[in-house]
Amino acid sequence: MKLPTVFNKYRADIDAELKSVLAERQSPLYDMMRYHLGWLDEKGNAVPNPGGKALRPTLCLLACEAAGGNYRQALPAAAAVELVHNYSLIHDDIQDDDKERRHRPTVWSIWGKPQAINAGTAMRILANLSLERLQKSGAPESKRLRAHRLIDERCISLIEGQYLDISFETRFDITADDYLEMIGKKTAALLSCSLELGAMMGTDDEAVIKGLGRFGWDLGIAFQIRDDILGIWGDEGKTGKPAGGDIRRKKKTFPIMWAFDQAKGDLRTDLLEYYRSGDPTPNGTAQVLRVLEAIDARSRAQKMANYYTEQATAAVKKLPLTASSAGDLQELLHFLAERDF
Ligand code: GRG
């Protein structure tokens, strides 16, 4: 499965904008960021590494065009959401003790946790400074302030979502609503924000801004459920994350939440035995995989992702969007809910 071509459409502009946000900053602190973003290797040499997919800035610029705007005006907002996303990844890798991301050692595993916290936190602040550039790209003051508020609100959601995610690791009573609240905050909030910001830069029509935000929310839920599927059954070579990693870390992802809801008798006993025990073992992982198979958790999770894909489509169907961008948004949505990496 390949990335849809829309990911290439704005990539050069996104990278150029991100590079210019970091341009005047020479301390090695910023080289940790450049490493994480895939521009440098750990010794500071330039490398041709794609880093991440740049999903959030792509959605931001697409939303701006879909709303009838010139995507260049939204570039500072696109860079801001990518910086927020990457800040959250640097901190998430520290919190989860993950040694690899995007097929490379994580920032903390090279420079240590204290310096990685510095790099992540400074990156979060750079997102605010990037938004300041909206002024130069022609956005009125009111929209710049609104963009700041929206980013701050969604960042708080992100952290609340991360809080819930970590607190769920030791709980066995997570309901579907609890799970949806957690992924709404952890994942959908920033994706929705990316589209809302782009739409705001493209139009004053509140129905379009809200509609694209809603699309982003539902897309975010579908995206996270697919991520949960990959976190258990994904191919390590493709995802860059260890197979079964979410089971070892005792994450309450969709399939596991569903298993706690559905598994009865011996299946439930096996599940509880693993999740109540101390250190995860390969046998324990196999035991959980058997339970998941018995209750058909994988197809149930995919059905749920497909449901949110349909909801996302419904959210934008009636909006007056530019036809080609609306088509690109649909293509992206389906890719995200069905991807294998
Ligand atoms: C603020 C510490 C802190 C955490 C916030 C967002 C988050 C919570 C943690 C990041 C890790 C995580 C599991 C996020 C969920 C969303 C997700 C699946 C991120 C991966 O996004 P991609 O696929 O990544 O867009 P690339 O590598 O392409 O940029």
Side-chain angles (χ1 to χ4, degrees):
M1 187 178 254
K2 282 198 340 205
L3 275 184
T5 51
V6 62
F7 277 102
N8 301 330
K9 189 170 176 186
Y10 312 109
R11 188 65 204 238
D13 288 303
I14 293 166
D15 286 345
E17 186 72 17
L18 284 166
K19 283 184 175 151
S20 74
V21 172
L22 279 150
E24 305 300 322
R25 303 192 182 265
Q26 297 310 330
S27 145
L29 171 70
Y30 303 100
D31 287 346
M32 287 192 272
M33 297 183 201
R34 292 184 180 97
Y35 167 83
H36 176 82
L37 292 167
W39 308 337
L40 298 182
D41 67 16
E42 55 189 273
K43 296 201 172 75
N45 303 310
V47 284
N49 187 306
K53 296 182 282 299
L55 168 61
R56 291 150 194 83
T58 301
L59 285 169
C60 177
L61 301 178
L62 252 180
C64 181
E65 284 207 298
N70 174 348
Y71 78 86
R72 288 193 176 78
Q73 287 201 321
L75 278 168
V81 291
E82 187 62 3
L83 289 167
V84 167
H85 167 59
N86 282 284
Y87 131 76
S88 81
L89 296 182
I90 292 174
H91 280 205
D92 185 65
D93 289 337
I94 298 167
Q95 293 173 354
D96 280 352
D97 232 21
D98 278 336
K99 294 187 180 58
E100 264 201 39
R101 167 155 319 263
R102 299 170 177 158
H103 307 278
R104 300 205 305 167
T106 47
V107 173
W108 77 261
S109 71
I110 298 174
W111 287 281
K113 290 184 175 173
Q115 295 293 34
I117 291 172
N118 286 335
T121 307
M123 200 180 241
R124 167 64 189 92
I125 314 288
L126 284 182
N128 280 1
L129 295 174
S130 178
L131 285 182
E132 287 300 303
R133 298 151 69 102
L134 281 172
Q135 222 165 7
K136 272 196 220 134
S137 75
E141 180 74 355
S142 58
K143 287 204 176 178
R144 190 174 59 80
L145 289 174
R146 186 170 163 190
H148 273 289
R149 264 197 308 274
L150 188 61
I151 282 255
D152 282 351
E153 275 302 334
R154 300 306 168 87
C155 256
I156 284 283
S157 293
L158 218 69
I159 295 167
E160 285 178 11
Q162 183 78 337
Y163 175 85
L164 289 175
D165 194 14
I166 294 170
S167 69
F168 287 1
E169 285 170 23
T170 48
R171 283 180 51 189
F172 312 116
D173 58 349
I174 305 306
T175 64
D177 282 348
D178 294 331
Y179 167 82
L180 287 171
E181 182 193 358
M182 183 270 283
I183 66 164
K185 291 179 165 174
K186 184 178 84 161
T187 306
L190 187 61
L191 285 161
S192 161
C193 167
S194 306
L195 282 131
E196 263 183 84
L197 285 174
M200 259 166 61
M201 298 308 144
T203 183
D204 292 329
D205 184 336
E206 288 299 326
V208 170
I209 299 169
K210 288 275 164 302
L212 282 165
R214 181 76 234 180
F215 171 88
W217 194 276
D218 291 327
L219 168 147
I221 301 286
F223 171 71
Q224 184 59 56
I225 297 174
R226 184 68 198 167
D227 204 65
D228 289 357
I229 293 173
L230 295 175
I232 294 177
W233 294 283
D235 173 345
E236 191 170 339
K238 290 182 182 159
T239 62
K241 289 190 282 189
D246 284 350
I247 296 182
R248 275 193 300 282
R249 288 185 299 166
K250 305 199 168 167
K251 289 285 180 194
K252 298 300 179 323
T253 60
F254 184 92
I256 303 299
M257 177 278 295
W258 180 248
F260 271 99
D261 189 66
Q262 294 291 307
K264 308 278 180 270
D266 288 351
L267 292 177
R268 189 168 182 82
T269 308
D270 283 354
L271 199 64
L272 281 170
E273 184 185 73
Y274 176 78
Y275 281 93
R276 282 193 177 135
S277 67
D279 282 344
T281 59
N283 268 354
T285 306
Q287 188 174 321
V288 174
L289 283 171
R290 277 196 299 276
V291 175
L292 295 176
E293 197 176 333
I295 59 152
D296 212 12
R298 186 176 180 161
S299 65
R300 175 71 201 185
Q302 189 59 48
K303 273 197 191 120
M304 196 69 169
N306 296 345
Y307 168 78
Y308 279 96
T309 305
E310 284 159 23
Q311 293 293 108
T313 301
V316 294
K317 229 174 184 168
K318 294 199 182 99
L319 299 177
L321 302 180
T322 309
S324 68
S325 308
D328 285 342
L329 285 173
Q330 282 302 325
E331 190 188 355
L332 242 166
L333 170 67
H334 286 280
F335 163 75
L336 293 174
E338 289 152 30
R339 72 207 154 94
D340 56 9
F341 60 95

